[in-house]
Amino acid sequence: MTKFFGTDGVRGIANSELTPELAFKLGRFGGYVLTKHANERPKVLIGRDTRISGQMLEGALVAGLLSIGAEAMRLGVITTPGVAYLTKALGAQAGVMISASHNPVEDNGIKFFGPDGFKLSDDEEAEIEELLNQDTDDLPRPVGKDLGIVSDYFEGSQKYLQFLKQTVDEEFTGIHVALDCANGSTSSLATYLYADLYADLDADVSTMGASPNGLNINDGVGSTHPEALAAFVQEKGANVGLAFDGDGDRLIAVDEKGQIIDGDQIMYICAKYLKQEGLLKKNTVVSTVMSNLGFHKGLEALGINSVQTAVGDRYVVEEMKANGFNLGGEQSGHIIFLDHNTTGDGLLTGLQLINIMKIANKPLSELAAEMKKYPQKLVNVKVTDKYHVLENEKIKSVIDEVEREMAGNGRVLVRPSGTEPLVRVMVEAQTAEDCSRFVSRIAGAVEAEMGLRE
């Protein structure tokens, strides 16, 4: 049985792995699973990022949806959280985003949202997978007036921007914002949000990475290359920089000194503010096992609880939904404000961050400095069996030795890669020298015991 869905939809090289034929089937089978209980013609929203392959995959996906009698409402270029928000706000039966997020241009992906705006459950994905793996297609084929139709709802972007604007009430007067839109989905939206919708707030805006041509998405810009924005902030003398990824669900910030502020630091700043305002539900923040030790120690000093999940924003959201938490995210910049939206939202996070800067009347550097960030080093080791490394007694012994030396002032994480024959060895310690020393010792043990000989 072929496995199509990963941790964030179906992804692959466009027109090679993720073909129009597969996109058609995803539209047909995914549309059927998500709309089969609709009492009338179901509505499915479709958004895409700026990749050259987006229109090809959109056309195939739409054809699949029409073949099961759905109305496919095209949103055009929009962010992933924009699709999630509009799916719920418009009462649609499903939403689909065509994007490979921060991946290079040759990749693309298709991810689904249910009527509640959340990503699909494992059971729903399994049902679609089962249909994709069948040799025959026995789904209904409506004809005549029951065939699906296509409509354009490009004004959905403005509805989404109006929603974003309503999540803050501070005037941004005097805040010079530098935006890096990764030549992706936020290229027009971020500019409109800060320059047009906030014209009455007198926000100064400088923009880079906002000229998509179908081929330059994430190319040396965006949240995976924040050093470009760091230089831009310094050049423009901006108070804050906001770097989005290709589909706009991540944010990495830059302070007025050109220092990069990652997702852990952003979550810390937001958690402190929400606690002060009595808005942090159950006094808890959800993060993944990759969050920095300094993040957890910082929350502890504030009297805030933290819960950790596996790597992946879907696991963060699942934990938040299950236990009634309203703030969570990843070091990579997926920040989820569950009181506002159902998924990570870079534009929303940027607004909340600047709102806090205005209320606190402090520069971003000062807000971020309140959390001590421990030096971190990651080494990848090719191994013969990535799933049983931690069962090796010699490797376990070395890890135990390192943890005893750390005496609670560091952290070790050894985990298998989700996509490659690698084990990732990550160490955090009080100094960069300790990081290098400890990670070398553990990685050396992994390589000696289970390393892949080439």
Side-chain angles (χ1 to χ4, degrees):
M1 181 173 177
T2 303
K3 176 73 173 171
F4 293 93
F5 285 89
T7 57
D8 200 18
V10 178
R11 288 194 185 183
I13 299 174
N15 210 31
S16 173
E17 298 164 343
L18 182 53
T19 62
E21 291 84 356
L22 178 54
F24 172 83
K25 290 180 179 180
L26 285 167
R28 180 165 169 76
F29 299 149
Y32 172 76
V33 168
L34 295 173
T35 67
K36 60 184 177 182
H37 299 301
N39 296 322
E40 54 188 21
R41 187 190 300 278
K43 290 183 172 61
V44 180
L45 307 184
I46 303 171
R48 57 183 172 85
D49 67 20
T50 57
R51 292 165 208 270
I52 190 172
S53 59
Q55 290 176 307
M56 173 188 72
L57 294 173
E58 180 187 60
L61 186 78
V62 166
L65 289 166
L66 302 189
S67 77
I68 54 102
E71 178 183 358
M73 299 176 64
R74 296 186 301 191
L75 300 172
V77 173
I78 193 172
T79 64
T80 290
V83 174
Y85 167 76
L86 290 169
T87 299
K88 182 179 180 180
L90 296 176
Q93 277 67 49
V96 189
M97 181 65 182
I98 302 170
S99 174
S101 188
H102 59 283
N103 284 22
V105 66
E106 59 266 22
D107 293 346
N108 217 326
I110 294 175
K111 68 182 87 174
F112 290 88
F113 294 94
D116 56 1
F118 287 101
K119 293 176 182 178
L120 301 193
S121 67
D122 290 341
D123 289 343
E124 288 170 318
E125 288 186 352
E127 189 174 354
I128 298 171
E129 294 250 4
E130 185 176 350
L131 292 171
L132 287 166
N133 278 294
Q134 288 180 358
D135 294 330
T136 59
D137 175 0
D138 298 323
L139 297 189
R141 288 189 176 274
V143 296
K145 65 179 179 60
D146 295 322
L147 276 168
I149 58 175
V150 183
S151 63
D152 290 331
Y153 190 67
F154 299 147
E155 59 268 36
S157 292
Q158 293 302 315
K159 183 177 180 69
Y160 168 57
L161 292 180
Q162 288 295 337
F163 147 71
L164 290 173
K165 181 179 178 182
Q166 293 165 10
T167 66
V168 293
D169 48 23
E170 282 294 311
E171 293 189 353
F172 288 4
T173 307
I175 296 286
H176 183 169
V177 183
L179 305 172
D180 180 352
C181 300
N183 292 314
S185 292
T186 62
S187 294
S188 294
L189 297 180
T191 304
Y192 276 119
L193 180 61
Y194 282 92
D196 290 351
L197 290 181
Y198 280 80
D200 56 320
L201 301 184
D202 193 29
D204 294 318
V205 182
S206 298
T207 312
M208 62 174 286
S211 301
N213 60 15
L215 300 174
N216 59 359
I217 189 170
N218 300 317
D219 187 7
V221 289
S223 63
T224 52
H225 302 279
E227 62 281 354
L229 178 61
F232 189 65
V233 165
Q234 294 280 273
E235 176 191 340
K236 298 295 183 180
N239 301 106
V240 58
L242 306 176
F244 310 104
D245 65 339
D247 69 333
D249 62 358
R250 295 189 191 193
L251 173 77
I252 296 295
V254 172
D255 70 19
E256 77 284 357
K257 298 178 180 179
Q259 299 173 126
I260 295 168
I261 310 298
D262 68 15
D264 286 342
Q265 294 165 292
I266 294 170
M267 279 193 290
Y268 172 86
I269 293 167
C270 293
K272 180 180 179 181
Y273 168 74
L274 290 175
K275 179 181 173 66
Q276 289 172 344
E277 297 297 312
L279 298 173
L280 185 62
K281 290 183 179 176
K282 298 189 175 180
N283 195 40
T284 299
V285 180
V286 182
S287 64
T288 76
V289 293
M290 290 303 293
S291 280
N292 193 274
L293 179 62
F295 169 72
H296 297 293
K297 285 185 174 290
L299 291 183
E300 184 180 349
L302 294 173
I304 297 174
N305 304 316
S306 62
V307 175
Q308 294 184 60
T309 73
V311 176
D313 64 308
R314 70 178 295 168
Y315 302 115
V316 174
V317 172
E318 286 172 4
E319 179 69 24
M320 294 172 71
K321 287 174 63 181
N323 293 290
F325 306 131
N326 65 340
L327 178 64
E330 294 189 283
Q331 188 182 71
S332 60
H334 284 117
I335 314 295
I336 300 106
F337 294 88
L338 214 49
D339 291 337
H340 297 303
N341 207 350
T342 56
T343 188
D345 190 330
L347 291 174
L348 173 65
T349 302
L351 290 181
Q352 303 308 306
L353 188 61
I354 296 175
N355 199 52
I356 293 169
M357 289 170 58
K358 286 292 294 186
I359 291 171
N361 193 28
K362 292 181 179 179
L364 183 55
S365 61
E366 187 174 337
L367 294 173
E370 295 176 18
M371 184 196 109
K372 177 190 174 184
K373 188 175 177 182
Y374 279 58
Q376 185 181 84
K377 187 166 184 178
L378 176 69
V379 172
N380 295 319
V381 183
K382 288 187 177 182
V383 293
T384 53
D385 184 355
K386 64 183 179 181
Y387 296 110
H388 295 91
V389 166
L390 290 178
E391 296 174 9
N392 182 283
E393 290 301 324
K394 290 187 177 179
I395 295 172
K396 287 167 60 178
S397 176
V398 172
I399 294 173
D400 289 343
E401 288 174 6
V402 168
E403 289 179 335
R404 281 196 297 272
E405 287 187 44
M406 287 178 169
N409 289 310
R411 188 167 69 105
V412 174
L413 179 64
V414 179
R415 66 182 184 90
S417 165
T419 57
E420 300 174 87
L422 302 172
V423 164
R424 305 196 192 282
V425 180
M426 189 275 286
V427 169
E428 290 170 351
Q430 288 185 303
T431 68
E433 292 77 13
D434 284 344
C435 266
S436 295
R437 181 164 55 89
F438 291 144
V439 81
S440 294
R441 193 190 306 177
I442 297 170
V446 172
E447 189 167 17
E449 291 295 309
M450 301 184 70
L452 186 63
R453 311 300 177 196
E454 296 181 348

